[in-house]
Amino acid sequence: MERVVVVGAGLAGGRTVVELREQGYTGQITVVGAEVHLPYDRPPLSKAVLTGRTDNTQLPYGLDELDGVELLLGQRATGLEPGTVHTTAGLVNYDGLVIASGSAPIRLPGSDNQRLLRTIDEARALREALRPGLRLVIVGAGWIGAEVATVAAKLGAEVTVVEGASHPLLPLGPEVGGHAVGWYAEAGVTLRLGAMVDKIGEDGLLLRGGEFLPADEIVVGVGVRPDVGWLGGTLLVEGGVVADEHLLASWAGDVAGAAGSPPVVAVGDCSAWWSARYNQRMHVEHWDAAQSAPVVAASTLLGLAAGTPVEQLPTYNPVPYFWSEQFGRMVQFAGLPAAGDELVLRGDPTAVRTPEMKKAPGWSAGWFAADGTLSALVTVVRPVDMVAGRRLLSSGTKPDQAQFADVGVPLKALLPE
C-alpha cells in the first residue's frame, strides 16, 4: 500500500495512524479532519475542561511530527468512490481507507439557542458562559447531561435537567437508573422526568403540553448519530458503517468499481461491527471502543496488503465498557444485558451520603443470564469491582449469585482458577 487515508482526526483516527506505524507501515498516510485541532481526548471536555482544570486535552500522538503523515485539518470528507475520497481540499486517492469520522450530536427543533458539548471549542465556550445564578436547562439526563449538571451546580448555576424518560441513565434500565434520581436533589439540581421537549425558544424551551421553561442557557445532550452522511450510500450503513469482525466495511451492491477495490475499515463511533461474542452487530459510542479498535483495523489493512486470507485476520471482540463522573460518583458499566436477565444488587444503592463522608456510598449491580452467566455489570464508587468484573465478563463466568451479592466477598475471588 502506497497511501492510507484516514477520515477523522479524533481518538479513533489518530490511534489508527499510530498503530499503522507501530505495526510497520512506512507508506504515506493522509488524515482528513473536520476540526482544525490535532486529535484530542473528549471525555475531559465535560469534566476537566468545563471546570477549568485544563484547557487542552490533545493526545500525545505527535502526528504533526511523524514522517510521511499529511494532515488535512479543518477539511471535510464530502464523498467516496472506490479508491478515492472527495474532500473540501480536493480528491485524495488511497490504497487503504479508515473511516473514523465519528458522530455528530443531535440538535432539537426550534431556535439555534442551544449549546452542544462535542468539541473542545464548545466546552470552552460553555465554560465561559457558566456563572452563579445562571438559569441553565439541560435536556437529557444521560452521561453528558449529568456531567454538565455536576459542574454547573458546583459553580452556582440554577440547574434544571429535563428528561423524557421515567428515570436517568436510560440504558441502565429503571431499577438502576432510578437510584440516580436522588443524586440530582443532593446536588441542588432540579430533575424533571417524563418531560418531553417540543422545541427550543430564544429564551427558554417549550415542553409538550404547553409548559415553558425560561433559561439563560440551554445545553442539549440527547445523544449522537454516526457522521456518515458524506458516504452518500456507497458503503452499507445500519446504525453505523457495516463492518465484519475484522472491522472490514462492506460496499453497497450497486457501487461501480467496488469489486476488487482497496480495503476499507471502520472504527470508533461510526462503526457497526459484527460481534462474535454476542452474535449480533454492535455500535458503541464510547472512548474504549475508539481506543481499542484501531489495533485490529490497522492489522486488517496491513494483513490484506500482505495477502493474508481474511479468515486469518485478527478479530475485534470486546466486552463494551464505558464510564462517567457525576455528582461525586464514578459510574462504570461493562457488558451487554439482555431482556429477562436477573439484576442482583451488591451493596445498598439507597444509602444516603452524610456530610462527614469523603465520598458517596458505593454499590454495584450485575445482570445474570438464565444460564447463570454474568452478562453485565455496573459499579458506583466501587472501581475495584469493575477491575475484576471485566475479567468475569470476558471469561463468560457463572459466579455464585449469593457470593456476588455479598460485598464482603471480593469479585476477584469469583474468577475461575
Side-chain angles (χ1 to χ4, degrees):
M1 289 189 298
E2 293 185 5
R3 174 186 280 180
V4 172
V5 172
V6 179
V7 177
L11 170 62
R15 187 68 211 160
T16 304
V17 174
V18 172
E19 283 297 330
L20 285 167
R21 285 292 188 248
E22 290 186 349
Q23 294 184 34
Y25 178 65
T26 58
Q28 178 76 19
I29 300 175
T30 297
V31 180
V32 182
E35 294 185 61
V36 297
H37 306 289
L38 286 164
Y40 61 87
D41 220 4
R42 295 187 192 276
L45 299 185
S46 56
K47 309 170 186 70
V49 173
L50 210 55
T51 60
R53 296 199 306 271
T54 186
D55 202 46
N56 183 7
T57 66
Q58 183 175 309
L59 293 162
Y61 294 158
L63 301 191
D64 53 337
E65 300 175 356
L66 291 178
D67 291 338
V69 175
E70 177 188 23
L71 299 175
L72 300 180
L73 301 180
Q75 305 291 340
R76 291 185 173 274
T78 59
L80 176 66
E81 59 184 284
T84 304
V85 177
H86 297 244
T87 79
T88 51
L91 301 180
V92 183
N93 296 327
Y94 66 85
D95 302 298
L97 175 63
V98 180
I99 307 293
S101 47
S103 56
I106 297 171
R107 300 183 68 90
L108 294 179
S111 168
D112 287 336
N113 181 34
Q114 49 186 297
R115 292 183 182 270
L116 306 172
L117 190 57
R118 182 65 181 172
T119 71
I120 192 164
D121 293 330
E122 290 169 343
R124 291 167 178 166
L126 178 58
R127 182 182 65 198
E128 292 301 314
L130 294 177
R131 63 181 186 275
L134 176 81
R135 296 176 303 172
L136 175 67
V137 175
I138 301 170
V139 184
W143 308 111
I144 291 295
E147 290 173 3
V148 174
T150 299
V151 174
K154 285 184 177 180
L155 293 175
E158 299 175 6
V159 184
T160 298
V161 176
V162 175
E163 170 58 54
S166 62
H167 56 87
L169 305 180
L170 186 61
L172 302 188
E175 188 168 352
V176 172
H179 290 301
V181 171
W183 304 350
Y184 288 76
E186 178 188 280
V189 174
T190 300
L191 176 62
R192 298 283 303 272
L193 296 171
M196 301 294 292
V197 176
D198 182 61
K199 64 179 179 179
I200 304 295
E202 291 297 332
D203 54 358
L205 54 83
L206 181 66
L207 299 179
R208 292 182 187 176
E211 183 181 358
F212 183 78
L213 292 182
D216 300 313
E217 296 284 353
I218 300 168
V219 175
V220 175
V222 294
V224 296
R225 293 191 179 99
D227 188 0
V228 294
W230 63 275
L231 294 171
T234 53
L235 296 179
L236 294 180
V237 174
E238 294 177 11
V241 176
V242 171
D244 64 12
E245 64 270 30
H246 313 293
L247 301 179
L248 194 62
S250 299
W251 290 92
D254 59 350
V255 176
S261 63
V264 180
V265 293
V267 293
D269 286 10
C270 63
S271 179
W273 77 93
W274 183 260
S275 169
R277 181 184 303 275
Y278 298 108
N279 196 36
Q280 66 182 64
R281 193 162 301 287
M282 300 285 289
H283 176 229
V284 178
E285 299 163 339
H286 294 287
W287 184 94
D288 192 63
Q291 167 72 10
S292 60
V295 178
V296 174
S299 296
T300 293
L301 287 181
L302 298 181
L304 291 173
T308 304
V310 172
E311 61 272 13
Q312 295 179 19
L313 296 172
T315 59
Y316 185 57
N317 199 22
V319 173
Y321 167 75
F322 56 90
W323 78 94
S324 175
E325 296 176 22
Q326 47 189 264
F327 306 114
R329 296 165 171 84
M330 169 65 85
V331 182
Q332 299 180 82
F333 178 83
L336 184 68
D341 284 0
E342 182 180 359
L343 183 67
V344 177
L345 293 174
R346 176 176 169 84
D348 182 9
T350 65
V352 178
R353 183 176 186 176
T354 60
E356 61 271 13
M357 287 182 175
K358 292 184 178 180
K359 61 180 182 180
W363 55 278
S364 302
W367 285 262
F368 287 80
D371 66 355
T373 303
L374 181 67
S375 61
L377 175 72
V378 62
T379 65
V380 179
V381 201
R382 286 188 65 89
V384 67
D385 278 0
M386 185 54 70
V387 172
R390 292 181 74 177
R391 295 172 62 191
L392 287 170
L393 291 165
S394 296
S395 64
T397 301
K398 301 178 181 179
D400 180 84
Q401 293 187 21
Q403 288 185 310
F404 175 90
D406 186 351
V407 293
V409 178
L411 288 188
K412 66 179 182 180
L414 306 183
L415 287 165
E417 297 292 337

